[in-house]
Amino acid sequence: MTAGTGQQRERGFDHTEVEPKWQRVWDERGTFRIPDDAEDPAYVLAMFPYPSGEMHMGHVRNYAITDAYARYRRMRGEAVLHPMGWDSFGLPAENAASERDVDPRGWTMDCIANMKEQMEIMGLGFDWEREVTTCEPEYFRWNQWLFTRFYEAGLVEREGAELNWCPSCETVLADENVNTEGGTEICWRCDTPIEHRDLEQWFFTITDYADELYETLDEMDGWPDNVREMQRNWIGKQAGDSVAFELSTGDSVEIFTTRLDTIYGATFFALSPGHGLAQELADDGDEVADYVHRAEHTDEELDQTSGVFTGEYATNPATGEEVPVYIADYVLEDIGTGALYAVPAHDERDHAFAEAHDIPIEQVIEPAPDADVDPEDIDVGEAAYTADGVLTNSAEYDGLTSAEARERFVDVFDGEHRIEHSLRDWCISRQRYWGTPIPFVECPDCGYVPVPDEELPVELPEFIQTTGNPLDAAEEWKSVACPGCGGPATRETDTMDTFVDSSWYFLRYVSPDLETAPFDTDRASEWMPVDQYVGGIEHATMHLIYSRFFTKVLKDLDLLDGVREPFKNLLTQGMVRKEGTAMSSSTGNVVSPRPFVEEYGADTARMFMLNAAQPEKDFDWTEEGARSAHTFLQGVYDLAAEFAAGDVAGEGTAKSEGETGGEHAVIHEYVAREVAATAATATEEFEAFRFNHALQAVRELVSLLRRYRDATTPDPDVFEDGVVTVTKLLAPVAPHVAEEMWDKLGGEGLVAEADWPDATPPEGYDIERRLVENTREDVREIADVAGIDDPERIRIVVAPEWKHAAHDLALESDADDLVGEVMGHEQFRQHGNEAASFAKDLQTEREALTPALSAAEEVAALERARWLVEREFDATVTVEADDDAPDLADDAEPGRPAIRID
RNA sequence: GCGAGGGUGGCCGAGCCUGGCCAAAGGCGGCGGGCUUAAGACCCGCUUCCGCAGGGAUCCGUGGGUUCGAAUCCCAUCCCUCGCACCA
């Protein structure tokens, strides 16, 4: 579209002028700074970005959400911590370095400067004095310090394991960094198919906390269900039992099972090809060795039921029988113990294997009597019966339920209850340059020795271009004296996974410049947890688990007091799409924030995003939507400006005598009540993060104010209150326009620092609103049905007070005979048959009755809303109490006045 | 396969926890009217069907159930999205 560029604009505001102006003012006044001595502030946090150099709409949305919320809380009078920083280590900087012949640090810093500028242009209210940059030694020295503490606490291990290796990034990847696409495992960053390599690496033993990480999820009701579910899946808790089987090889092999109740039905034993014993049995160069080799070292897709008999037998501890030992590919090495006893009758995979290898199938479970399956229908020869049930063919245990049997068998077979998790320890080693050096030295005599705290940080050597790990090539840097014995030693050349950086950055914001510790324990204990965390769902199983792990460890190391979870409430924001698909720079399907903001302003972008959908939902970026936000903001500004200029309710605007008082007082009152009601609604919606609903309420109020202005000469106080309220309610979302309006309206100080409007709804508002809406609706319907196109006079007659009293009585009374109850009162009896018949009506609708206003209140409420009806129908409208209109009052009921249209 | 979330009027989307005021907010689109030289913006309506006074019928994926009463609660079933997935 062609923007308003070049065309004169007599109305509205110029965002290119207004926005930088207020950004400067906020900055100068330190509006968003929070002092260190603030008491338990609201901690509102957006996931800090990797500084790629350019903001995209996803960022804008993320920060628009946290900023709106933070500004809202601040206006409510709370101290608010809303910081920002840079997750600035990571591979892209190295890639850029090799592509453009720059060094990662310089490139990263340029990107940060660029991103920061864009954030400032958006008017985001961060406390920049708390900015944190993870690639600075002042930050990452604490990664190293914490690493050492973890090491001392026994939470660091160096082990050899088969690891995911990305040949393109030339580094290992944690399981979390491996994605699966069409069956192949690929690197999350570059989509290269990963390989597996046996390597010695550094691990954090996050599995020590697996159970707590899992269990606490149940209580974390400030988190979305899907994220909690993803974490549950990821941790993969499995409660079962382990039992040892004696093999004819002389080995005792431990298995893990969740179905110990089926042990009598075990007819073979299976080892995964990667199991230690399988490897031993394969040494002979026979078909066992061949199978293990094919399973382990080739790309061959082995059949589900493939396997090989080892010639060995295992003793079933339950039956004493010898069952054959197979090596089978369907048995996974890293699940359970990598070995299992197989019960073909009650496990589908075991069943399939047994059929293929002609192994007997013994039923030991039958459906419980209360199951809706007929035991006669079960044929385990056909298919496994996998449900729990009642034991059979299990010696003296027949008749026990599955659950009972599992409980008993643990003791009987000398096993133990075990909790297994699929969560693995966290491999944090990366063979890359742009990360935190792991603060260890390898000494030929002392082994791995930690770098003493006083020598931290271990800084990075100068960057050099090399195919492998640049740290490995930095010979001078590598060579160091062993802290233990003083002899020649070598620095560890692995750097840390960048998820280490982001696992505690939210604590560094508390005391970003502290030089004696990663964070101030007292203050962090008071300020934490983060009250509201907002970011993308993609971090559900990585960053969000690691941060939880770190927080628990820090608590156990006494670095935190009383905080075991970092994020109280979590919001995962939806995607900003374009034409139904994700914005993607690779396809050019993007709207870039910078040019958009230059043309329409930051407020428009923020307003549109928050107005378009609830934060957690995806939405489409549309030109119409953006424009409508822009139009709205211009319009509100104009309204405020007109009022400020005295064009609406100032002196000399009176349309006629008496419009400002008397008969018009009720109109002013109506508007005043709507203003208060809007503040109440908007507050509720802000609390619940439904900015779109809050904005809807504001739009409706603005529309009402316009009608008010057009219908009469507004009361200056009422109108001002309306415009001021709109300004305040808009301030968290469109802060620059709001400041401009506030300024025009003569507000004191900044609206960003102003008090939030009173959020108490007017008394009886909901009932009143319903009455007014219903009545207006009824008038329309009658006029329509009766075919009255151009009504002259509309009479609205409220039901007599006694009907209201009877209605109230019906609401309260629990008497069976309502008619009798009502007629027992003289005040109703005097109305004779009419009262009896009304009581009968009440009796009929009894269960559906809702509170109503009194007759006088109804008259007042309708009187206040009368102008809207007059305006709509261009007719004379009267609101009457029943005494004034005995001819119509009979038809009226509480909440439903009689209506006469002529 | 397992698990989580969801299926609402032309479209988007609220409501569902805490059943009744729900033919179901709001927006978009469409239609009519006002304002305007006109367009835009703005304002007022209409937008399931029937009805010459506020009434009635049908309706919230499908089928049952609970209840005086169900979009809302329960059960079953189908479909969609996401996550995990040869999990012992």
Side-chain angles (χ1 to χ4, degrees), chain A residues 37 125 232 269 296 315 317 356 436 525 543 569 743 750 766 849:
Chain A
D37 58 6
R232 282 192 198 100
F269 192 90
E296 284 282 277
T315 308
T436 305
S525 299
H543 165 58
N569 295 296
D743 188 46
L750 298 176
D766 286 343
L849 293 178

Side-chain angles (χ1 to χ4, degrees), chain A residues 188-372:
Chain A
W188 71 319
R189 279 238 182 263
C190 62
D191 293 349
T192 309
I194 59 142
E195 300 169 359
H196 295 278
R197 289 196 180 181
D198 271 317
L199 296 162
E200 282 254 310
Q201 304 283 314
W202 295 95
F203 287 83
F204 282 149
T205 56
I206 190 172
T207 50
D208 292 355
Y209 285 81
D211 205 50
E212 188 191 341
L213 288 167
Y214 186 95
E215 289 302 323
T216 314
L217 288 169
D218 287 341
E219 300 152 29
M220 293 165 53
D221 49 16
W223 282 37
D225 287 341
N226 62 337
V227 174
R228 289 195 280 173
E229 193 56 27
M230 284 163 79
Q231 294 209 349
R232 282 192 198 100
N233 281 333
W234 188 259
I235 298 167
K237 180 173 174 169
Q238 195 74 259
D241 311 285
S242 65
V243 170
F245 272 58
E246 304 300 328
L247 266 57
S248 52
T249 57
D251 296 279
S252 173
V253 178
E254 209 176 294
I255 59 89
F256 174 79
T257 179
T258 55
R259 291 299 304 274
L260 193 56
D261 54 315
T262 64
I263 191 167
Y264 276 86
T267 53
F268 68 101
F269 192 90
L271 294 165
S272 79
H275 194 278
L277 186 59
Q279 308 275 330
E280 281 176 37
L281 292 169
D283 282 346
D284 307 308
D286 55 9
E287 66 173 310
V288 175
D290 177 55
Y291 181 77
V292 170
H293 176 78
R294 277 163 58 207
E296 284 282 277
H297 302 291
T298 66
D299 291 336
E300 188 181 344
E301 278 283 315
L302 292 173
D303 199 74
Q304 276 285 348
T305 57
S306 75
V308 61
F309 176 50
T310 59
E312 304 288 345
Y313 290 86
T315 308
N316 183 336
T319 60
E321 278 170 28
E322 305 252 291
V323 297
V325 175
Y326 284 81
I327 292 170
D329 194 49
Y330 84 92
V331 182
L332 269 25
E333 189 186 349
D334 58 350
I335 293 186
T337 62
L340 54 79
Y341 68 75
V343 186
H346 305 292
D347 181 278
E348 282 165 15
R349 292 150 304 170
D350 296 348
H351 194 276
F353 191 89
E355 282 193 326
H357 296 262
D358 223 5
I359 300 168
I361 298 170
E362 299 279 347
Q363 178 172 9
V364 291
I365 302 288
E366 55 186 26
D370 58 348
D372 36 329

Side-chain angles (χ1 to χ4, degrees), chain A residues 33 133 137 159 174 273 553 558 645 661 803 807 849 889:
Chain A
R33 276 182 223 140
T133 306
E159 11 180 274
V553 173
D558 289 326
K803 281 194 182 174
H807 182 268
L849 293 178

Side-chain angles (χ1 to χ4, degrees), chain A residues 447-673:
Chain A
Y448 280 96
V449 184
V451 174
D453 288 353
E454 56 274 16
E455 287 175 30
L456 298 181
V458 176
E459 296 205 37
L460 288 162
E462 202 178 326
F463 179 71
I464 50 161
Q465 301 279 3
T466 160
T467 47
N469 180 356
L471 291 189
D472 220 19
E475 293 299 339
E476 201 175 316
W477 176 86
K478 261 169 65 179
S479 141
V480 67
C482 168
C485 65
T490 315
R491 280 196 194 283
E492 170 60 63
T493 57
D494 285 354
T495 50
M496 296 183 201
D497 180 2
T498 56
F499 279 114
V500 173
D501 312 353
S502 55
S503 291
W504 65 280
Y505 77 106
F506 44 88
L507 289 161
R508 185 68 183 168
Y509 286 136
V510 162
S511 46
D513 303 318
L514 192 63
E515 288 178 9
T516 53
F519 52 88
D520 183 302
T521 291
D522 289 343
R523 200 182 304 149
S525 299
E526 184 184 335
W527 287 13
M528 286 288 286
V530 171
D531 293 283
Q532 185 62 56
Y533 199 30
V534 180
I537 184 83
E538 65 274 18
H539 291 112
T541 52
M542 298 189 274
H543 165 58
L544 289 169
I545 286 188
Y546 298 144
S547 299
R548 295 182 60 214
F549 163 61
F550 254 66
T551 304
K552 290 175 193 305
V553 173
L554 293 172
K555 166 70 178 70
D556 289 339
L557 295 176
D558 289 326
L559 288 164
L560 278 174
D561 183 17
V563 181
R564 283 200 84 80
E565 283 292 339
F567 312 122
K568 189 157 191 290
N569 295 296
L570 173 71
L571 175 80
T572 50
Q573 101 242 18
M575 267 190 323
V576 183
R577 294 172 312 197
K578 198 184 160 203
E579 283 139 21
T581 54
M583 287 197 186
S584 154
S585 48
S586 58
T587 57
N589 186 38
V590 281
V591 179
S592 292
R594 199 193 275 270
F596 181 88
V597 168
E598 276 165 15
E599 184 161 342
Y600 292 98
D603 283 341
T604 296
R606 298 167 57 130
M607 166 96 190
F608 171 46
M609 289 198 147
L610 296 177
N611 195 30
Q614 302 197 14
E616 45 284 278
K617 304 214 167 171
D618 294 350
F619 79 95
D620 261 11
W621 182 277
T622 61
E623 192 77 30
E624 297 83 2
R627 213 164 12 204
S628 106
H630 191 248
T631 308
F632 171 75
L633 291 176
Q634 291 288 354
V636 190
Y637 171 83
D638 286 341
L639 190 66
E642 276 174 41
F643 173 75
D647 295 342
V648 175
E651 286 169 39
T653 57
K655 286 169 184 168
S656 68
E657 279 299 305
E659 273 205 356
T660 51
E663 194 191 338
H664 291 261
V666 288
I667 304 183
H668 309 320
E669 204 184 324
Y670 179 89
V671 175
R673 287 170 69 88

Side-chain angles (χ1 to χ4, degrees), chain A residues 37-57:
Chain A
D37 58 6
E39 266 182 53
D40 191 19
Y43 192 167
V44 181
L45 184 64
M47 289 181 186
F48 69 164
Y50 176 82
S52 61
E54 286 297 325
M55 286 238 281
H56 58 247
M57 283 301 179

Side-chain angles (χ1 to χ4, degrees), chain A residues 666-667 669-670 673 768 859-867:
Chain A
V666 288
I667 304 183
E669 204 184 324
Y670 179 89
R673 287 170 69 88
E768 166 174 348
V859 171
L862 291 166
E863 191 63 38
R864 283 194 288 270
R866 190 167 52 96
W867 65 286

